Amino acid sequence: MKAFTKKLVLESGREFYGYGFGADREAILEIVFNTAVVGYQEIMSDPAYTGQLVVMTYPLIGNYGMADEDYETKTPTIGGMAVREYNDSPSNFRYTRTLNEVLEECDVPAIWGLDTRALTRVIRDEGTQKVIITDASTPTEEALKKLQEAALPTDTLQRVSCKKRWMSRVPNHTYDVVAIDCGIKNSLVRQLNAVGCNVTVLPYDSTLEDVMSFRPDGVLISNGPGNPAEAAPVIELVKQLRGKKPIFGIGLGQQIIALAYGAKVEKMKFGHRGCNHPVKNLATGLIEVASQNHGFVVLPELPGMLSITHTNLLDNTIEGVECKLDRIFAVQFDPASAEAECHDLFKKFVKLMEEGRDA
């Protein structure tokens, strides 16, 4: 067996050895895991993973390469990846580059050859924590000292949000939507386009005047990374916007909306990340197996104006909230991952925008 070239050292002192690919550099990150079977390209290009090292529990990664049409953002900001077996010879006719080539270009370090399922159990039992990806020869004491001295970034929202507004337009559009970019995914913009919306994407620190200058029919608060309490400009914007325009929140957007109404949010032990979470719609009783990507959760003691619309059947956490009076609703899961639920959610947003026009 060839000698290991890289290792992960967790804050708890555990070590996992493997082989490096992607960028050949050291990095200190927050370690999380994802249970998805497919979609590693969408995961590595999801802005919600900014500053995180993602452990993929599915054992084979890289086998279908990277396709130009499948990125969730133009410039991936994921912190790193850990996989069991990496395949650098993709067989998919659509691929244009390998995962290794993209990681190298984006300066993202990665490691393969370690027991990712054992590592996942450690994260599940001990919780998310700081991790260093470093050379296999780095002394453990040195790695732990670096971890102790390092602080995880608190500016992930600022890093992923656009600096200037951009648009995604469709022929003969019906509605105009302003999307606040907290780390918005391309698939979400495409879903809005598919229901007849022209989308104007604005930076996270946009003001009420900025938003209203585009005369939107509705406003979307997007998904994204980090602690929602650090999204003060967006929380304030929601406070000023509520009741004026229909608002739809997704992922981080739900947490921001909840905070704007006075609810509380807390960090989860290891979060929800993967595509196998059963979510129950309390109004219809229907259950969708939806994709998740979040490390914070809205606590159930909601202010009177907010009500719960969806729950996670695995741990009973809140997956959806709404305020009917203010025409605001939000979900914690990715609506693009559950087709029936996705259709209903965007149909609901369209209905609220239509009613707003008629009011």
Side-chain angles (χ1 to χ4, degrees):
M1 186 177 73
K2 63 180 181 179
F4 293 120
T5 61
K6 295 286 182 179
K7 70 176 178 178
L8 299 180
V9 182
L10 277 64
E11 199 173 4
S12 63
R14 295 179 183 268
E15 293 181 308
F16 290 83
Y17 285 82
Y19 308 97
F21 70 108
D24 184 16
R25 69 177 180 89
E26 187 174 272
I28 295 176
L29 307 158
E30 180 183 39
I31 190 168
V32 300
F33 65 85
N34 188 293
T35 58
V37 175
V38 295
Y40 61 78
Q41 178 172 351
E42 289 81 355
I43 290 167
M44 71 82 58
S45 60
D46 183 347
Y49 286 115
T50 299
Q52 294 179 328
L53 185 142
V54 182
V55 179
M56 301 297 297
T57 61
Y58 189 74
L60 180 60
I61 301 297
N63 52 307
Y64 54 84
M66 306 286 279
D68 291 341
E69 300 86 359
D70 295 344
Y71 289 95
E72 290 289 8
T73 187
K74 292 180 180 178
T75 306
T77 53
I78 188 173
M81 293 190 80
V83 306
R84 178 67 182 95
E85 180 181 349
Y86 173 64
N87 184 316
D88 204 41
S89 300
S91 58
N92 181 11
F93 75 95
R94 294 179 64 241
Y95 99 93
T96 54
R97 289 190 293 176
T98 66
L99 174 60
N100 179 59
E101 290 169 335
V102 175
L103 292 175
E104 283 184 334
E105 181 176 319
C106 297
D107 197 32
V108 177
I111 184 172
W112 71 273
L114 40 74
D115 188 341
T116 53
R117 296 195 176 187
L119 178 54
T120 297
R121 287 194 294 270
V122 170
I123 301 169
R124 184 192 62 194
D125 295 341
E126 299 179 0
T128 58
Q129 55 191 286
K130 287 186 288 186
V131 65
I132 184 170
I133 179 170
T134 186
D135 191 89
S137 62
T138 302
T140 303
E141 295 76 12
E142 179 183 333
L144 289 173
K145 183 180 179 182
K146 289 181 178 180
L147 283 171
Q148 185 179 13
E149 295 174 348
L152 294 174
T154 59
D155 63 344
T156 52
L157 173 58
Q158 295 92 316
R159 286 165 57 189
V160 300
S161 182
C162 61
K163 303 302 184 286
K164 298 288 184 180
R165 61 99 170 158
W166 59 276
M167 297 181 177
S168 180
R169 306 171 68 84
V170 293
N172 304 315
H173 77 286
T174 307
Y175 306 99
D176 289 288
V177 171
V178 164
I180 303 301
D181 183 7
C182 301
I184 196 167
K185 298 197 298 184
N186 291 336
S187 57
L188 179 54
V189 176
R190 289 194 295 267
Q191 290 286 351
L192 289 168
N193 289 156
V195 292
C197 299
N198 273 354
V199 182
T200 301
V201 182
L202 297 184
Y204 79 100
D205 56 355
S206 297
T207 65
L208 177 65
E209 291 72 23
D210 294 332
V211 173
M212 299 303 284
S213 69
F214 290 95
R215 302 179 67 182
D217 297 300
V219 176
L220 181 128
I221 310 297
S222 85
N223 47 283
N227 186 339
E230 296 164 0
V234 196
I235 295 171
E236 182 59 30
L237 177 62
V238 172
K239 290 179 179 179
Q240 296 174 1
L241 269 173
R242 66 188 196 187
K244 293 182 173 66
K245 295 291 180 181
I247 301 178
F248 181 16
I250 295 175
L252 179 65
Q254 168 172 285
Q255 300 159 21
I256 288 171
I257 287 171
L259 289 173
Y261 275 88
K264 295 181 178 179
V265 174
E266 72 174 7
K267 187 175 177 64
M268 304 175 76
K269 184 177 181 180
F270 51 81
H272 289 165
R273 296 177 181 88
C275 56
N276 50 2
H277 286 259
V279 174
K280 183 175 182 179
N281 184 322
L282 299 184
T284 65
L286 296 176
I287 297 172
E288 295 285 346
V289 180
S291 176
Q292 304 276 322
N293 183 9
H294 61 101
F296 289 81
V297 65
V298 178
L299 296 182
E301 296 78 20
L302 295 180
M305 294 183 70
L306 284 182
S307 60
I308 301 172
T309 60
H310 298 75
T311 59
N312 189 305
L313 295 182
L314 295 180
D315 57 12
N316 294 316
T317 53
I318 295 175
E319 293 282 355
V321 298
E322 74 173 343
C323 176
K324 292 184 178 180
L325 179 64
D326 290 338
R327 297 176 296 160
I328 293 179
F329 71 103
V331 293
Q332 189 61 68
F333 56 92
D334 180 358
S337 69
E339 293 185 4
E341 187 65 51
C342 169
H343 175 73
D344 290 341
L345 289 169
F346 283 96
K347 185 167 65 174
K348 180 176 182 177
F349 189 38
V350 166
K351 182 180 179 182
L352 289 175
M353 290 191 287
E354 189 64 38
E355 291 173 350
R357 283 181 171 182
D358 296 338

PDB file of all heavy atoms in Angstrom, residues 33-36 43 49 272-277 290-293 337:
ATOM      1  N   PHE A  33     -21.127  16.418   7.356  1.00  0.00           N
ATOM      2  CA  PHE A  33     -21.273  15.288   6.439  1.00  0.00           C
ATOM      3  C   PHE A  33     -22.534  15.428   5.616  1.00  0.00           C
ATOM      4  O   PHE A  33     -23.486  16.088   6.009  1.00  0.00           O
ATOM      5  CB  PHE A  33     -21.264  13.947   7.187  1.00  0.00           C
ATOM      6  CG  PHE A  33     -22.423  13.724   8.119  1.00  0.00           C
ATOM      7  CD1 PHE A  33     -23.628  13.210   7.667  1.00  0.00           C
ATOM      8  CD2 PHE A  33     -22.304  14.011   9.472  1.00  0.00           C
ATOM      9  CE1 PHE A  33     -24.694  12.996   8.520  1.00  0.00           C
ATOM     10  CE2 PHE A  33     -23.357  13.796  10.345  1.00  0.00           C
ATOM     11  CZ  PHE A  33     -24.557  13.295   9.871  1.00  0.00           C
ATOM     12  N   ASN A  34     -22.524  14.789   4.448  1.00  0.00           N
ATOM     13  CA  ASN A  34     -23.669  14.794   3.546  1.00  0.00           C
ATOM     14  C   ASN A  34     -23.969  13.361   3.131  1.00  0.00           C
ATOM     15  O   ASN A  34     -23.065  12.629   2.722  1.00  0.00           O
ATOM     16  CB  ASN A  34     -23.389  15.656   2.312  1.00  0.00           C
ATOM     17  CG  ASN A  34     -24.617  15.853   1.446  1.00  0.00           C
ATOM     18  OD1 ASN A  34     -25.118  14.911   0.835  1.00  0.00           O
ATOM     19  ND2 ASN A  34     -25.112  17.080   1.397  1.00  0.00           N
ATOM     20  N   THR A  35     -25.241  12.973   3.215  1.00  0.00           N
ATOM     21  CA  THR A  35     -25.639  11.591   2.950  1.00  0.00           C
ATOM     22  C   THR A  35     -26.194  11.365   1.552  1.00  0.00           C
ATOM     23  O   THR A  35     -26.745  10.305   1.267  1.00  0.00           O
ATOM     24  CB  THR A  35     -26.696  11.145   3.982  1.00  0.00           C
ATOM     25  OG1 THR A  35     -27.820  12.036   3.910  1.00  0.00           O
ATOM     26  CG2 THR A  35     -26.131  11.169   5.393  1.00  0.00           C
ATOM     27  N   ALA A  36     -26.047  12.335   0.651  1.00  0.00           N
ATOM     28  CA  ALA A  36     -26.572  12.183  -0.702  1.00  0.00           C
ATOM     29  C   ALA A  36     -25.832  11.089  -1.464  1.00  0.00           C
ATOM     30  O   ALA A  36     -24.620  10.903  -1.299  1.00  0.00           O
ATOM     31  CB  ALA A  36     -26.470  13.495  -1.460  1.00  0.00           C
ATOM     32  N   ILE A  43     -23.322  19.779  -4.672  1.00  0.00           N
ATOM     33  CA  ILE A  43     -22.897  19.978  -3.283  1.00  0.00           C
ATOM     34  C   ILE A  43     -21.644  20.838  -3.226  1.00  0.00           C
ATOM     35  O   ILE A  43     -21.578  21.814  -2.470  1.00  0.00           O
ATOM     36  CB  ILE A  43     -22.657  18.615  -2.607  1.00  0.00           C
ATOM     37  CG1 ILE A  43     -23.988  17.889  -2.390  1.00  0.00           C
ATOM     38  CG2 ILE A  43     -21.920  18.775  -1.274  1.00  0.00           C
ATOM     39  CD1 ILE A  43     -23.854  16.428  -2.029  1.00  0.00           C
ATOM     40  N   TYR A  49     -22.077  25.697   1.690  1.00  0.00           N
ATOM     41  CA  TYR A  49     -20.955  24.942   2.253  1.00  0.00           C
ATOM     42  C   TYR A  49     -19.691  25.780   2.363  1.00  0.00           C
ATOM     43  O   TYR A  49     -18.599  25.234   2.558  1.00  0.00           O
ATOM     44  CB  TYR A  49     -20.677  23.700   1.406  1.00  0.00           C
ATOM     45  CG  TYR A  49     -21.688  22.610   1.594  1.00  0.00           C
ATOM     46  CD1 TYR A  49     -22.516  22.213   0.549  1.00  0.00           C
ATOM     47  CD2 TYR A  49     -21.843  21.970   2.816  1.00  0.00           C
ATOM     48  CE1 TYR A  49     -23.456  21.212   0.712  1.00  0.00           C
ATOM     49  CE2 TYR A  49     -22.788  20.970   2.990  1.00  0.00           C
ATOM     50  CZ  TYR A  49     -23.581  20.595   1.937  1.00  0.00           C
ATOM     51  OH  TYR A  49     -24.509  19.607   2.105  1.00  0.00           O
ATOM     52  N   HIS A 272     -28.576  19.067   9.303  1.00  0.00           N
ATOM     53  CA  HIS A 272     -29.266  18.227   8.311  1.00  0.00           C
ATOM     54  C   HIS A 272     -28.612  18.477   6.962  1.00  0.00           C
ATOM     55  O   HIS A 272     -28.689  19.578   6.432  1.00  0.00           O
ATOM     56  CB  HIS A 272     -30.745  18.601   8.217  1.00  0.00           C
ATOM     57  CG  HIS A 272     -31.553  18.205   9.410  1.00  0.00           C
ATOM     58  ND1 HIS A 272     -32.814  18.709   9.639  1.00  0.00           N
ATOM     59  CD2 HIS A 272     -31.291  17.357  10.428  1.00  0.00           C
ATOM     60  CE1 HIS A 272     -33.294  18.183  10.758  1.00  0.00           C
ATOM     61  NE2 HIS A 272     -32.376  17.367  11.261  1.00  0.00           N
ATOM     62  N   ARG A 273     -27.969  17.459   6.418  1.00  0.00           N
ATOM     63  CA  ARG A 273     -27.346  17.620   5.101  1.00  0.00           C
ATOM     64  C   ARG A 273     -27.461  16.309   4.351  1.00  0.00           C
ATOM     65  O   ARG A 273     -26.846  15.319   4.731  1.00  0.00           O
ATOM     66  CB  ARG A 273     -25.870  18.037   5.253  1.00  0.00           C
ATOM     67  CG  ARG A 273     -25.719  19.410   5.907  1.00  0.00           C
ATOM     68  CD  ARG A 273     -24.274  19.799   6.131  1.00  0.00           C
ATOM     69  NE  ARG A 273     -24.202  21.095   6.779  1.00  0.00           N
ATOM     70  CZ  ARG A 273     -24.216  21.288   8.092  1.00  0.00           C
ATOM     71  NH1 ARG A 273     -24.300  20.253   8.910  1.00  0.00           N
ATOM     72  NH2 ARG A 273     -24.146  22.503   8.602  1.00  0.00           N
ATOM     73  N   GLY A 274     -28.248  16.324   3.290  1.00  0.00           N
ATOM     74  CA  GLY A 274     -28.479  15.117   2.521  1.00  0.00           C
ATOM     75  C   GLY A 274     -29.841  15.167   1.861  1.00  0.00           C
ATOM     76  O   GLY A 274     -30.588  16.138   2.006  1.00  0.00           O
ATOM     77  N   CYS A 275     -30.178  14.111   1.123  1.00  0.00           N
ATOM     78  CA  CYS A 275     -31.405  14.132   0.332  1.00  0.00           C
ATOM     79  C   CYS A 275     -32.415  13.089   0.811  1.00  0.00           C
ATOM     80  O   CYS A 275     -33.248  12.637   0.042  1.00  0.00           O
ATOM     81  CB  CYS A 275     -31.078  13.899  -1.142  1.00  0.00           C
ATOM     82  SG  CYS A 275     -30.172  12.372  -1.454  1.00  0.00           S
ATOM     83  N   ASN A 276     -32.347  12.708   2.073  1.00  0.00           N
ATOM     84  CA  ASN A 276     -33.220  11.641   2.545  1.00  0.00           C
ATOM     85  C   ASN A 276     -33.979  12.003   3.815  1.00  0.00           C
ATOM     86  O   ASN A 276     -34.168  11.171   4.694  1.00  0.00           O
ATOM     87  CB  ASN A 276     -32.397  10.365   2.776  1.00  0.00           C
ATOM     88  CG  ASN A 276     -31.169  10.629   3.628  1.00  0.00           C
ATOM     89  OD1 ASN A 276     -30.947  11.745   4.081  1.00  0.00           O
ATOM     90  ND2 ASN A 276     -30.375   9.593   3.839  1.00  0.00           N
ATOM     91  N   HIS A 277     -34.416  13.254   3.910  1.00  0.00           N
ATOM     92  CA  HIS A 277     -35.139  13.696   5.093  1.00  0.00           C
ATOM     93  C   HIS A 277     -36.641  13.770   4.804  1.00  0.00           C
ATOM     94  O   HIS A 277     -37.073  14.519   3.922  1.00  0.00           O
ATOM     95  CB  HIS A 277     -34.642  15.067   5.542  1.00  0.00           C
ATOM     96  CG  HIS A 277     -33.303  15.024   6.206  1.00  0.00           C
ATOM     97  ND1 HIS A 277     -33.138  15.066   7.573  1.00  0.00           N
ATOM     98  CD2 HIS A 277     -32.052  14.913   5.687  1.00  0.00           C
ATOM     99  CE1 HIS A 277     -31.852  14.996   7.864  1.00  0.00           C
ATOM    100  NE2 HIS A 277     -31.176  14.908   6.726  1.00  0.00           N
ATOM    101  N   ALA A 290     -37.012  15.184   1.169  1.00  0.00           N
ATOM    102  CA  ALA A 290     -36.433  16.415   0.647  1.00  0.00           C
ATOM    103  C   ALA A 290     -34.959  16.543   0.997  1.00  0.00           C
ATOM    104  O   ALA A 290     -34.459  15.943   1.945  1.00  0.00           O
ATOM    105  CB  ALA A 290     -37.191  17.621   1.202  1.00  0.00           C
ATOM    106  N   SER A 291     -34.266  17.350   0.210  1.00  0.00           N
ATOM    107  CA  SER A 291     -32.862  17.647   0.436  1.00  0.00           C
ATOM    108  C   SER A 291     -32.715  18.697   1.534  1.00  0.00           C
ATOM    109  O   SER A 291     -33.513  19.629   1.626  1.00  0.00           O
ATOM    110  CB  SER A 291     -32.225  18.157  -0.855  1.00  0.00           C
ATOM    111  OG  SER A 291     -30.887  18.528  -0.638  1.00  0.00           O
ATOM    112  N   GLN A 292     -31.696  18.521   2.369  1.00  0.00           N
ATOM    113  CA  GLN A 292     -31.442  19.434   3.475  1.00  0.00           C
ATOM    114  C   GLN A 292     -30.003  19.923   3.414  1.00  0.00           C
ATOM    115  O   GLN A 292     -29.107  19.198   2.992  1.00  0.00           O
ATOM    116  CB  GLN A 292     -31.645  18.705   4.806  1.00  0.00           C
ATOM    117  CG  GLN A 292     -33.008  18.067   4.981  1.00  0.00           C
ATOM    118  CD  GLN A 292     -34.041  19.040   5.477  1.00  0.00           C
ATOM    119  OE1 GLN A 292     -33.764  19.895   6.309  1.00  0.00           O
ATOM    120  NE2 GLN A 292     -35.248  18.911   4.983  1.00  0.00           N
ATOM    121  N   ASN A 293     -29.787  21.138   3.883  1.00  0.00           N
ATOM    122  CA  ASN A 293     -28.431  21.646   4.007  1.00  0.00           C
ATOM    123  C   ASN A 293     -28.435  22.820   4.978  1.00  0.00           C
ATOM    124  O   ASN A 293     -28.466  23.974   4.580  1.00  0.00           O
ATOM    125  CB  ASN A 293     -27.875  22.086   2.653  1.00  0.00           C
ATOM    126  CG  ASN A 293     -26.431  22.563   2.764  1.00  0.00           C
ATOM    127  OD1 ASN A 293     -25.806  22.415   3.809  1.00  0.00           O
ATOM    128  ND2 ASN A 293     -25.903  23.147   1.713  1.00  0.00           N
ATOM    129  N   SER A 337     -35.689  19.945  -4.591  1.00  0.00           N
ATOM    130  CA  SER A 337     -35.361  18.528  -4.423  1.00  0.00           C
ATOM    131  C   SER A 337     -36.593  17.650  -4.297  1.00  0.00           C
ATOM    132  O   SER A 337     -36.499  16.435  -4.331  1.00  0.00           O
ATOM    133  CB  SER A 337     -34.499  18.336  -3.174  1.00  0.00           C
ATOM    134  OG  SER A 337     -35.266  18.584  -2.011  1.00  0.00           O
TER     135      SER A 337
END
